[in-house]
């Protein structure tokens, strides 16, 4: 009987530890100077640095101290950042100048500017092809660049507006097509579209993450749904309820958790019970405007760009849906940590 009580106690302790490991809360805020807008963040766990898009520059934050560590400047309107640790190179999509900026990961010195399509937005480095891909939001295409030399490798036409991409590192790229509610599968070597999949009932997909082991894609959509998609067949396995106004998705393979950062002011945490079974386990309060994020796979922390927002200006015929203006001096990165 004593052994039974002991075993029961150990089981309860293990369940308590597992439950606590899945609880998240705001653990800090990193103030950053400047009142420009923002888009994606990228956490480079290898080098311990967080890259934050911020108007015309990228803020570099040291992940260990969570303090500003530098800037990459001289751009017009930054969207995304990607890194190639094997090449000591970083890449920035400058939507204002229709360029991809190549920089040194150690010194942060700008090394090269490479022409892209119209308004390069999402960007990634694909280790399989050793190429960087910029997904161009206005020309509805993809610019492929040799990651080492910076030379253009070709252009891939798409049937709609691309949003965030993902790579499986095995010869497949994936990208959400926002205005068609699709995911496109691309061959990074031949630069051809392989397949196009509808992800209905998900509408206007933005953020995209991938589970390499289970071969599942996670696409967050504007109608408060996350689509779980088979990365080989394109089948929509299931949909999961998320918050309003999502823009980014992240998958933590160490904890089997998927995250959706939602502009209404929360973070949806979804547990992967199996390749085809998913459960919402938490809705973490963040801040209104915190809709883009990056996951540090080493510490399991999540970083979200945000700012205080004032009242929106009055609507005009040219701008019928004006966005609220940022309160000066309020831009910061929220840190959300597991308890």
């Amino acid at each position: 009987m004593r052994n039974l009580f002991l075993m029961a106690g150990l089981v309860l302790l293990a369940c308590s530890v597992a439950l606590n490991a899945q609880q998240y809360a705001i653990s800090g805020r990193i103030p950053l100077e400047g009142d420009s807008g923002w888009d994606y963040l990228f956490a480079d766990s290898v080098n311990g640095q967080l890259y934050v898009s911020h108007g015309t520059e990228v803020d570099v934050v040291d992940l260990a101290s969570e303090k500003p560590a530098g800037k990459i400047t001289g751009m017009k309107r930054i969207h995304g950042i990607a890194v190639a640790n094997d090449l000591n190179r970083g890449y920035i999509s400058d939507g204002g100048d229709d360029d991809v900026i190549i920089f040194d990961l150690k010194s942060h010195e700008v090394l090269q500017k490479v022409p892209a399509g119209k308004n390069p937005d999402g960007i990634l480095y694909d280790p399989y092809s050793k190429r960087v891909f910029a997904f161009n939001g206005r020309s509805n295409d993809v610019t492929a660049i040799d990651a080492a030399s910076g030379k253009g490798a070709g252009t891939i036409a798409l049937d709609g507006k691309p949003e965030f991409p993902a790579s499986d590192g095995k010869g497949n790229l994936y990208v959400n097509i926002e205005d068609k509610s699709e995911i496109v599968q691309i061959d990074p070597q031949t630069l051809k579209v392989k397949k196009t999949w509808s992800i209905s009932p998900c509408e206007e997909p933005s953020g995209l993450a991938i589970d390499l082991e289970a071969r599942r894609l996670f696409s967050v959509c504007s109608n408060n749904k996350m689509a779980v998609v088979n990365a080989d067949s394109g089948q929509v396995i299931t949909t999961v309820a998320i918050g309003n106004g999502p823009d980014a998705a992240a998958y933590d393979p160490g904890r089997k958790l998927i995250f959706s950062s939602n502009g209404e002011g929360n973070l949806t945490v979804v547990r992967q019970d199996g390749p085809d079974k998913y459960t919402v386990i938490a809705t973490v309060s963040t801040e209104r405007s915190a809709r883009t994020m990056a996951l540090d796979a080493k510490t399991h922390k999540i970083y979200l760009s945000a700012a205080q927002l004032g009242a929106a200006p009055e609507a005009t015929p040219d701008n019928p849906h004006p966005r609220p203006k940022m309160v000066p001096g309020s831009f910061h990165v929220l840190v959300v940590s597991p308890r």
Side-chain angles (χ1 to χ4, degrees):
M1 184 65 70
R2 181 180 178 183
N3 287 339
L4 287 175
F5 281 122
L6 179 60
M7 290 176 63
L10 290 173
V11 169
L12 288 172
L13 178 61
C15 290
S16 176
V17 170
L19 181 62
N20 288 334
Q22 294 173 346
Q23 294 179 343
Y24 287 77
I26 293 174
S27 61
R29 289 173 173 80
I30 306 169
L32 296 172
E33 295 180 352
D35 298 327
S36 299
W38 65 90
D39 205 342
Y40 297 111
L41 308 87
F42 187 91
D44 179 4
S45 300
V46 174
N47 290 303
Q49 295 185 323
L50 176 71
Y51 296 97
V52 183
S53 66
H54 192 187
T56 61
E57 59 192 28
V58 172
D59 286 304
V60 184
V61 175
D62 177 72
L63 285 172
S65 65
E66 294 183 347
K67 294 185 181 300
K71 292 179 182 288
I72 306 169
T73 61
M75 289 156 281
K76 289 187 178 179
R77 188 176 68 253
I78 297 164
H79 287 294
I81 303 100
V83 303
N85 291 118
D86 54 333
L87 300 173
N88 189 40
R89 293 287 185 270
Y91 310 87
I92 302 166
S93 55
D94 184 356
D97 222 6
D98 296 337
D99 283 334
V100 170
I101 311 302
I102 303 178
F103 66 94
D104 184 280
L105 289 182
K106 299 295 190 296
S107 67
H108 302 140
E109 177 187 357
V110 171
L111 304 174
Q112 197 172 352
K113 292 187 177 184
V114 184
K118 297 295 182 183
N119 190 32
D121 189 354
I123 189 169
L124 65 73
Y125 168 63
D126 175 51
Y128 180 85
S129 61
K130 303 287 186 182
R131 288 171 171 168
V132 175
F133 294 85
F135 294 78
N136 306 306
R138 288 205 186 97
S139 50
N140 292 351
D141 55 17
V142 187
T143 301
I145 300 167
D146 180 82
S149 69
K151 294 181 179 179
T155 302
I156 308 161
L158 299 173
D159 70 343
K161 182 180 182 295
E163 261 290 340
F164 204 77
S167 166
D168 69 358
K170 296 181 179 179
N172 294 287
L173 304 182
Y174 306 89
V175 63
N176 282 328
I177 303 298
E178 183 181 30
D179 54 348
K180 298 289 183 67
S181 296
E182 297 172 343
I183 290 179
V184 170
Q185 183 187 41
I186 296 170
D187 186 320
Q189 292 280 35
T190 64
L191 304 183
K192 302 291 185 183
V193 171
K194 297 170 70 173
K195 295 174 184 175
T196 299
W197 301 316
S198 169
I199 57 170
S200 177
C202 249
E203 298 174 0
E204 298 180 0
S206 52
L208 185 67
I210 186 169
D211 172 4
L212 299 175
E213 182 180 356
R215 306 288 299 165
R216 294 292 181 264
L217 294 162
F218 309 104
S219 181
V220 295
C221 302
S222 66
N223 59 337
N224 299 63
K225 295 180 187 294
M226 180 182 76
V228 181
V229 180
N230 185 305
D232 297 310
S233 70
Q235 177 189 1
V236 177
I237 302 297
T238 188
T239 60
V240 182
I242 59 173
N244 189 46
D247 196 36
Y251 175 69
D252 187 339
R255 301 196 170 202
K256 303 291 184 182
L257 298 175
I258 308 101
F259 303 90
S260 171
S261 52
N262 311 310
E264 68 177 357
N266 56 52
L267 179 75
T268 306
V269 185
V270 180
R271 184 180 65 222
Q272 184 183 53
D273 299 311
D276 298 339
K277 185 179 180 182
Y278 298 83
T279 306
V280 175
I281 60 169
T283 301
V284 182
S285 294
T286 55
E287 292 181 14
R288 187 167 69 101
S289 81
R291 61 196 305 263
T292 60
M293 67 173 166
L295 168 71
D296 181 358
K298 185 179 292 185
T299 64
H300 308 284
K301 291 182 178 182
I302 297 159
Y303 297 88
L304 306 99
S305 292
Q308 295 177 31
L309 299 178
E314 292 187 8
T316 66
D318 293 334
N319 186 12
H321 304 289
R323 292 185 178 184
K325 290 189 176 181
M326 182 195 307
V327 174
S330 69
F331 182 68
H332 59 281
V333 173
L334 283 176
V335 186
V336 174
S337 302
R339 292 177 178 175

